[in-house]
Amino acid sequence: MKLNHRIPSLVRPLIAAAALALGLSAAQAQDIRFGFNADQSGTGAAELGVAARHGFDLAIEDINKAGGLLGRKVVGIVRDDTGQPPKSIQNMTELIDSEKVAAVVGPTNSGNALAWLHIPQQKKVPVIVPVATATDITKRYANEAQNYIYRVSMVDREQVALLIAYAIKATRNQKIAFIADSTGFGQQGVKDLTEVLALHGAKAVAVEKFGPKDTDMTSQLAKIRDAGADTLIVYGLADANAQLLRSMEKINYLPTTLGTWGNMSTPLLNTAGKKLAEHIIFATSTAEDSNPRAVALAARVRERYPQLPTFVAAAQSYDSVMLLAAAVKKAGSTDGDKLAATLENGLPDTQGVVKLYQKPFAKGDHEALSVADFHLARWRDGKVAAYEDAITKALAPADYKK
């Protein structure tokens, strides 16, 4: 028994000697750790976090099947922040200080990101955000010598640019209206919508709002209908938007309806029903049927997560890990400064699920995706599918104003 207890201490020098014989340092013989910190259970955005976690896990599996990084195995360290900023802050501290991760992927909620950005920035640990959309996330430290915060996700202002570009071409009577929830999220959305529509030389014919827990929006919709709007942009979360769709049905007013990517969450489908849910068209970066890589990843994720309503989060998380892996390979190191510099300046072309990433980041731009990468989607037969029509095919870069 005593001999068994001594085995680890006897083996350690042999492992170190073997590593040196292979030209590896002791540090290089250890696993490379990537952290994941996102809501997977606590809020309405949790299913985005669950999907992102599966994308994260599958990317690491693929990296290890290909031999790992720098001759070392990659290990994912996963934390659920339950959508709560204090818990998310605690997770980040543990991942960086105790787990010694080389980089972090996450979070789901923008508020959580904004609560802990200072931690990886101070400790020089790169973070790639695969879900949260608040514009300020990558901007807070943009003027620092090195900004360690990157993103592979939708961005609020960029989504608005796409929605307005489509609305301008979709409206037949040039009457576009907005309706948003009364939260800061919804009202910031109205501000962005108003500003971007003005760039097109237009103004909303009606702007209404509703409480995020409201179930009857018929009075607001009646005002929009009476204003003559044939195109409506909705800025709210999926559960409230489902009630909005039901209110539209009640008064038989179903204009062209557009929204943000949050509409791909299952509350929209479950509350509005499959047929009505198909009425709203929303922004996304990819869908399960967007390309062969998306089809393949979706099939793998569905083995673990059969419902998979938010495939886009899995795809963006998968791509985030692949970009980190490309940076580690190119830098030949897991040092935070070297990884950050490589992400900005030295990444080789990297094939992802969403797209082929060619110099995705630059010194003043840490957004891997822009409006040119976004698409429209809608629910179809209980799944999120890419949406195309004559308008989407006619949209050009000049149509996107922001």
Side-chain angles (χ1 to χ4, degrees), residues 230-365:
D230 70 349
T231 303
L232 176 63
I233 301 180
V234 180
Y235 224 96
L237 298 180
D239 49 356
N241 294 349
Q243 299 293 350
L244 184 73
L245 289 171
R246 294 178 67 180
S247 296
M248 287 181 180
E249 189 175 47
K250 285 180 185 178
I251 63 172
N252 194 29
Y253 172 60
L254 292 166
T256 298
T257 305
L258 308 169
T260 62
W261 76 321
N263 289 290
M264 66 181 67
S265 295
T266 52
L268 185 90
L269 186 70
N270 295 338
T271 301
K274 285 185 178 181
K275 182 177 180 181
L276 194 55
E278 291 181 2
H279 181 68
I280 191 166
I281 302 166
F282 46 83
T284 184
S285 65
T286 191
E288 292 184 52
D289 58 353
S290 290
N291 59 59
R293 298 177 304 280
V295 172
L297 182 65
R300 294 172 66 194
V301 178
R302 281 191 179 278
E303 291 179 7
R304 306 178 182 201
Y305 185 26
Q307 287 72 40
L308 185 64
T310 50
F311 170 72
V312 61
Q316 291 172 177
S317 185
Y318 184 97
D319 288 3
S320 297
V321 176
M322 288 304 183
L323 289 172
L324 286 171
V328 170
K329 287 182 182 179
K330 181 69 174 181
S333 171
T334 58
D335 175 77
D337 281 333
K338 292 180 180 178
L339 289 183
T342 303
L343 284 167
E344 279 189 1
N345 303 308
L347 275 184
D349 290 355
T350 303
Q351 181 64 64
V353 174
V354 177
K355 69 171 186 175
L356 173 66
Y357 296 89
Q358 298 175 296
K359 297 181 179 179
F361 305 116
K363 180 66 177 175
D365 183 3

Side-chain angles (χ1 to χ4, degrees), residues 141-157:
Y141 299 110
N143 295 324
E144 297 288 323
Q146 179 63 64
N147 181 5
Y148 292 84
I149 316 301
Y150 304 80
R151 177 158 43 196
V152 180
S153 184
M154 311 287 282
V155 184
D156 287 344
R157 185 81 172 199

